[in-house]
Amino acid sequence: MTVEEVFVDGKLLAGERIAAGGNSAAERLFIAMALCNDVERDAKGKPIGDPTEAALFLAAEKAGFVKSALEKTKPRVAEIPFDSDRKMMTTFHKDPDGGYVSFTKGGVEVVMERAIETQNLGAAAKKTLLRENERMASDGLRVLAIGTRKWSDLPIDMSPDAVEKELTVLGFAGILDPPREEAKEAIKLCKLAGIKPIMITGDHPITAKAIARRLGMVDDGGEVMTGPMLDKLTLEEFEEKVERIRVYARVAPAQKLKIVKALQDKGEFVAMTGDGVNDAPALKRADIGVSMGITGTDVAKEASHMILLDDNFASIVGAIRKGRQIYDNIRKFIKYTMTSNTAEIWAILLPPFLGMPIALLPIHILWINLVTDGLPGLALTVEGEEKGVMNRPPRPPQESVFAHGMGTHIIWVGLAMGAVSIFSQALSIRMGLHWQTMVFTVLCLSQMGHVLAIRSERESFFTLGAFSNMPLVGAVLLTFALQLALIYVPFLQPIFKTEALSFGELMFALALSSVIFAVVEAEKFFKRRFCPK
């Protein structure tokens, strides 16, 4: 954050002109910016503290008003810390001219409400200041008003209501808090993915809307709801509007809970970010509470479900993207293993009803479950993300893992795989081939064709490229080599009850095995052609 503009005594100081002191009003404003501030420099000279205060601290230093030097003549003697409800902070300092002086900084509206009517703040001057506030806010600046008050003695009653009144307004500081470069792209991705980003801020509504417009969250006609407006609505009235509102301004942390509840009541799955103590109830209530790892308080971190280590919104979008990829790969693994198991059931169950012996021995089933299912199935977990993974709506939380035709796929492809195996058994017995080894080989290699075809829900294997998932290529080749070893290595044959296949038999088994690859690719072709997303 940086202080971009300072408005004092009817004049605008910006850029390099900020250092042009010489004006007693400007000097008092910069002194207040430096002293009403909890920022300190660490051993390396880096400012440590709240980013907003750091911007004021550095702006004052740039103008020649160094906090450490000022505190020697105006030491702090008391403080009323910032509070999100009253939106102000006040510090008391010994005045070298006698008595004490207090400096108050906060939102423009709240400071102006507590200002006295003086020659520098009559009705006309107040209108001018409010117009200037709106102008600065429309440029996307966060505007703070800074006031002061002289005291002969320290007040006995140090409550905010007793102290933060009868202020003399020194001026405004316009702070630029530019969104990160990646934030706009992250917002765009959210909208493509069916996620509705909502801004909740304590800033002026004009500032909030300017930033939201810059990020692409709203257009010029977008509605902004303020905290006072929200307070006037019952939960039922608010729920009628909540799905249309994308920007909330001048919102107290406690009101975030009302927003979360209203969205959830409308059936939305809510992820909420926050960093303060007062954000904890909303973080706890949200379906996914996300606290800030750098600026977040311990209370916020305890109440949240997830901690964002870099405080970067784009990281949340990246996590959503990675989560969708992981979930897709879990579905592929389940699809692969359950289809294979279904095929084994058909291959064992149906032959006796067709007058043929049981095709597979227990050791064959163990081999298929351990090696043929295991290695390629694990390799599916590193499959890359689906094309357009962020161009589809969020998955409903109650949706079954077998949704979108996966259950149907498991049944019909498992039946097709079993049918191919039974067909190979019947034909091999009729032709006098090594039928049991043939069935065992066809079933194993059919699963290799299946695992290659289901790498994507919709995209063709040839579009993806044969070598875009090298672990899977390695797993398929290793499984194929091990299967050949069971057939042709003499000492393994009696263990697995296999016989060496002739070249013709092996080619026939490969041809039958490729049927499953072909039918699954055909299924995806019809999805792409007739079932657009």
Side-chain angles (χ1 to χ4, degrees):
M1 293 186 186
T2 56
V3 173
E4 295 293 304
E5 295 183 3
V6 172
F7 186 78
V8 56
D9 201 23
K11 299 177 182 177
L12 177 67
L13 305 180
E16 293 305 315
R17 290 171 58 197
I18 203 171
N23 177 317
S24 61
E27 288 178 356
R28 287 195 297 159
L29 176 63
F30 288 124
I31 289 170
M33 289 167 58
L35 292 177
C36 188
N37 198 310
D38 288 329
V39 173
E40 301 289 347
R41 289 192 180 275
D42 62 14
K44 297 181 179 179
K46 180 181 178 181
I48 301 296
D50 179 80
T52 300
E53 291 201 331
L56 298 173
F57 174 88
L58 292 172
E61 276 197 352
K62 182 180 179 182
F65 299 89
V66 180
K67 181 181 178 182
S68 57
L70 291 171
E71 286 181 329
K72 293 177 181 178
T73 56
K74 292 181 172 64
R76 183 184 298 189
V77 294
E79 174 187 358
I80 304 177
F82 174 82
D83 181 86
S84 57
D85 291 328
R86 70 182 212 285
K87 299 181 176 64
M88 288 189 293
M89 171 188 178
T90 298
T91 57
F92 284 81
H93 303 266
K94 187 74 175 173
D95 192 335
D97 296 328
Y100 300 88
V101 61
S102 66
F103 297 116
T104 300
K105 71 171 187 284
V108 172
E109 296 92 339
V110 292
V111 172
M112 297 279 282
E113 284 176 8
R114 291 160 174 77
I116 58 174
E117 297 285 344
T118 65
Q119 66 275 11
N120 81 321
L121 195 63
K126 183 177 286 189
K127 287 182 180 179
T128 301
L129 288 173
L130 290 175
R131 278 199 306 271
E132 190 64 25
N133 172 43
E134 291 184 2
R135 184 200 62 76
M136 296 168 77
S138 65
D139 291 335
L141 299 179
R142 176 182 298 172
V143 186
L144 292 180
I146 300 171
T148 186
R149 183 178 176 183
K150 283 282 292 179
W151 303 83
S152 56
D153 296 292
L154 278 178
I156 297 173
D157 182 359
M158 291 292 287
S159 65
D161 289 339
V163 169
E164 293 171 338
K165 63 182 183 179
E166 300 179 16
L167 302 175
T168 297
V169 177
L170 294 176
F172 297 162
I175 301 170
L176 180 64
D177 184 11
R180 299 194 189 206
E181 289 296 324
E182 61 270 28
K184 187 173 182 178
E185 182 63 26
I187 295 292
K188 181 180 177 182
L189 280 175
C190 277
K191 295 170 79 172
L192 284 173
I195 300 164
K196 303 170 186 174
I198 295 173
M199 177 189 293
I200 304 175
T201 177
D203 289 340
H204 191 284
I206 297 177
T207 302
K209 188 171 183 178
I211 294 173
R213 191 167 53 240
R214 189 181 302 162
L215 290 171
M217 292 178 65
V218 297
D219 54 23
D220 290 337
E223 185 177 354
V224 179
M225 180 171 284
T226 64
M229 293 166 59
L230 183 55
D231 270 342
K232 294 176 183 178
L233 299 175
T234 65
L235 186 59
E236 292 73 21
E237 291 172 333
F238 178 45
E239 285 177 1
E240 295 177 4
K241 299 184 174 184
V242 67
E243 292 187 299
R244 300 195 305 272
I245 308 299
R246 293 290 174 269
V247 180
Y248 296 86
R250 289 290 189 246
V251 172
Q255 291 176 316
K256 294 181 181 180
L257 183 59
K258 186 175 181 178
I259 298 171
V260 171
K261 284 181 179 178
L263 287 168
Q264 289 175 328
D265 289 346
K266 298 298 285 186
E268 301 286 356
F269 193 86
V270 182
M272 169 80 191
T273 63
D275 56 7
V277 173
N278 291 333
D279 292 329
L283 289 170
K284 192 73 173 177
R285 176 61 188 254
D287 298 287
I288 302 176
V290 184
S291 63
M292 302 296 108
I294 299 174
T295 60
T297 61
D298 290 340
V299 174
K301 292 175 184 177
E302 286 293 329
S304 65
H305 306 87
M306 183 169 67
I307 299 173
L308 195 61
L309 294 179
D310 61 359
D311 290 11
N312 189 346
F313 177 77
S315 297
I316 299 177
V317 181
I320 293 170
R321 186 177 206 128
K322 180 57 69 173
R324 290 187 174 192
Q325 177 189 344
I326 292 170
Y327 184 74
D328 286 344
N329 289 347
I330 290 172
R331 278 172 48 91
K332 291 169 191 173
F333 178 83
I334 294 172
K335 181 190 288 188
Y336 174 63
T337 55
M338 293 199 68
T339 302
S340 301
N341 291 338
T342 303
E344 292 172 44
I345 291 171
W346 295 127
I348 295 170
L349 181 65
L350 293 182
F353 291 97
L354 301 175
M356 294 184 292
I358 294 176
L360 299 175
L361 298 174
I363 195 167
H364 296 156
I365 298 170
L366 288 171
W367 175 261
I368 292 171
N369 290 338
L370 178 64
V371 179
T372 310
D373 286 354
L375 293 177
L378 289 174
L380 279 175
T381 62
V382 297
E383 185 65 46
E385 66 182 40
E386 291 274 351
K387 182 180 179 182
V389 69
M390 293 297 283
N391 292 349
R392 63 191 192 213
R395 175 183 59 85
Q398 67 275 13
E399 181 182 278
S400 168
V401 73
F402 298 103
H404 305 294
M406 193 172 95
T408 304
H409 175 97
I410 289 170
I411 293 170
W412 85 261
V413 176
L415 185 59
M417 201 179 294
V420 169
S421 301
I422 294 168
F423 174 76
S424 70
Q425 179 180 357
L427 196 60
S428 298
I429 290 174
R430 182 181 288 262
M431 296 175 63
L433 307 177
H434 301 105
W435 66 269
Q436 192 168 60
T437 303
M438 283 286 291
V439 175
F440 180 35
T441 303
V442 167
L443 185 56
C444 285
L445 298 185
S446 292
Q447 292 181 20
M448 296 303 98
H450 184 232
V451 77
L452 292 174
I454 64 168
R455 288 179 54 198
S456 171
E457 295 274 354
R458 301 175 65 90
E459 296 300 313
S460 167
F461 169 80
F462 303 103
T463 301
L464 296 173
F467 302 105
S468 55
N469 184 346
M470 288 306 296
L472 181 60
V473 172
V476 169
L477 291 176
L478 178 60
T479 303
F480 181 70
L482 291 173
Q483 185 66 25
L484 292 182
L486 299 190
I487 299 171
Y488 295 108
V489 174
F491 80 86
L492 292 177
Q493 291 173 341
I495 299 174
F496 288 90
K497 304 296 188 284
T498 57
E499 298 173 287
L501 300 178
S502 67
F503 180 77
E505 289 174 323
L506 181 61
M507 291 300 102
F508 182 49
L510 285 170
L512 288 175
S513 304
S514 64
V515 170
I516 300 302
F517 175 83
V519 297
V520 175
E521 283 293 321
E523 177 194 38
K524 294 193 294 182
F525 172 78
F526 281 105
K527 276 186 180 180
R528 294 192 299 272
R529 186 72 179 271
F530 302 109
C531 301
K533 293 182 181 179

